[in-house]
């Protein structure tokens, strides 16, 4: 099936402290795979990135069979992918200044500077409310543009902080919720802290840092295809032209860094997830995570409850009956870039069409390397 790809710049009035009230444009890429027919037959899917990976590098990776968004579009869906402010191709206010980078990371950004510099914007960039405001703007844009009442959500990692609470507050606009490796602190903050929160707006990821973090979760032979680190790093650099020019000089060329926003979250914990029985009730939920995902499952447990994450605890906290948890064998937090990516694509397509897994709408399951799903022992 032919896929029509369009990039949109969605108008939004910013609620970030850094550019409050300004008119900005949120980047959204659309892969329209809807078959010809009545407009009312459209089914829209919105994919949202996590903390450190922009949406195109995560969902639209241009390498062999790894493009998750097109795999879904080829099944007959109109797939949208959005970057929140501070990520990818959406605005990144105050992130152009190297002095606004995490002081512990400035050595990887501006080697000529000695020691950390005082930030010109001494606050965290985004928060739970601003993320949900931007998500809401894009949802309304999709609903109006494609004449659909509801949108199916797919979120990876920290996308759960925005998509989970949004679905609870707006169940009439969310068809279903697919959370891959969701970050979920059962005892996370319930209420907003005093805003803006002091700190800095920008973190940076280096190629070495990506390799180190990913490597800690590679436990199976062949779990990551040879050369994938270079493929992913190239995609990150493509989505951060400025960051690609930062970093220590190596062989006469900048090593590059991938910039990502620093944010504060609240309103996503065991109490919120069970609120009103919405999740697992009017909004069916599928949760998928890798057996070696030590990012979304804090190991060992963190003494700070805000940073103590547990995927199975989210399944337990959801009070509605339409909920499924799938643990994927030989996979980590970076599953979309690993050998299990095809099985991930398949389970997501089946979920979007049937809102079940192996014919079931509740329970905990495992998925092996062949994509076979069976009840968890």
């Amino acid at each position: 099936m032919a896929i029509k790809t369009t990039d949109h710049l969605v108008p939004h009035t910013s609620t970030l402290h850094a550019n409050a009230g300004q008119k900005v444009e949120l980047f959204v890429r659309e892969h329209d795979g809807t078959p010809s027919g009545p407009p009312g037959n459209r089914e829209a899917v919105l994919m949202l990135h996590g903390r450190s990976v922009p949406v195109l590098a995560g969902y639209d990776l241009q390498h062999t069979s790894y493009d998750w968004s097109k795999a879904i579009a080829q099944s007959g869906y109109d797939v949208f992918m959005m970057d929140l402010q501070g990520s990818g191709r959406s605005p990144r206010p105050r992130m152009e200044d190297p002095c606004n980078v995490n002081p512990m990371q400035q050595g990887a950004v501006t080697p000529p500077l000695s020691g950390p510099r005082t930030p010109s914007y001494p606050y965290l960039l985004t928060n739970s409310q601003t993320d949900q405001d931007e998500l809401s703007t894009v949802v309304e844009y999709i609903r109006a543009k494609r004449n659909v009442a509801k949108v199916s959500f797919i979120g990876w990692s920290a996308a759960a902080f925005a998509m989970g609470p949004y679905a609870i507050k707006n169940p009439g606009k969310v068809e279903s919720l697919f959370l891959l490796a969701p970050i979920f602190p059962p005892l996370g903050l319930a209420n907003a802290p005093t805003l803006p929160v002091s700190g800095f707006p920008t973190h940076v990821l280096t190629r070495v840092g990506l390799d180190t973090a990913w490597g800690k979760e590679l436990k199976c032979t062949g779990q990551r295809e040879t050369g994938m680190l270079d493929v992913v790093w190239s995609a990150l650099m493509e989505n951060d032209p400025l960051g690609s020019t930062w970093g220590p000089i190596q062989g006469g060329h900048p090593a590059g860094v991938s910039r990502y926003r620093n944010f504060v979250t609240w309103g996503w914990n065991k109490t919120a997830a069970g609120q009103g029985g919405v999740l697992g009730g009017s909004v069916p939920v599928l949760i998928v995570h890798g057996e070696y995902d030590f990012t979304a499952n804090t190991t060992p447990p963190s003494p700070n409850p805000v940073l103590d994450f547990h995927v199975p605890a989210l399944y337990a906290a959801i009070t509605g009956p339409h909920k499924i948890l799938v643990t994927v064998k030989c996979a980590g937090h970076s599953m979309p870039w690993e050998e299990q990516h095809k099985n991930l694509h398949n389970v997501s397509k089946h979920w979007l069409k049937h809102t079940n897994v192996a014919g079931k709408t509740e329970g905990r399951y495992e998925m092996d390397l062949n994509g076979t799903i069976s009840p968890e022992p």
Side-chain angles (χ1 to χ4, degrees), residues 275-297:
Q275 184 177 338
V278 173
L279 297 186
S282 56
V283 180
V285 180
L286 171 59
I287 304 166
V288 176
H289 71 137
E291 67 170 325
Y292 299 123
D293 188 341
F294 308 130
T295 303
N297 296 285

Side-chain angles (χ1 to χ4, degrees), residues 5-89:
T5 299
T6 308
D7 287 346
H8 305 277
L9 295 176
V10 178
H12 175 71
T13 301
S14 181
T15 54
L16 271 62
H17 176 265
N19 59 355
Q22 293 183 21
K23 301 296 183 181
V24 299
E25 294 178 319
L26 303 175
F27 175 82
V28 176
R29 174 165 291 178
E30 176 189 9
H31 289 322
D32 185 355
T34 303
S36 58
N41 290 344
R42 282 186 176 270
E43 294 181 88
V45 179
L46 176 58
M47 307 181 85
L48 180 63
H49 61 85
R51 183 179 71 142
S52 60
V53 176
V55 75
L56 298 187
Y59 295 118
D60 199 30
L61 192 66
Q62 303 298 302
H63 179 68
T64 62
S65 59
Y66 286 86
D67 192 330
W68 189 359
S69 58
K70 281 190 176 176
I72 293 174
Q74 287 166 352
S75 292
Y77 295 91
D78 199 355
V79 181
F80 295 82
M81 297 163 279
M82 69 171 289
D83 275 321
L84 296 165
Q85 286 195 86
S87 182
R89 303 187 185 194

Side-chain angles (χ1 to χ4, degrees), residues 29 71 83 115 152 167 171 202 236 251 316 361:
R29 174 165 291 178
D83 275 321
S152 297
T202 312
L236 291 172
T361 58

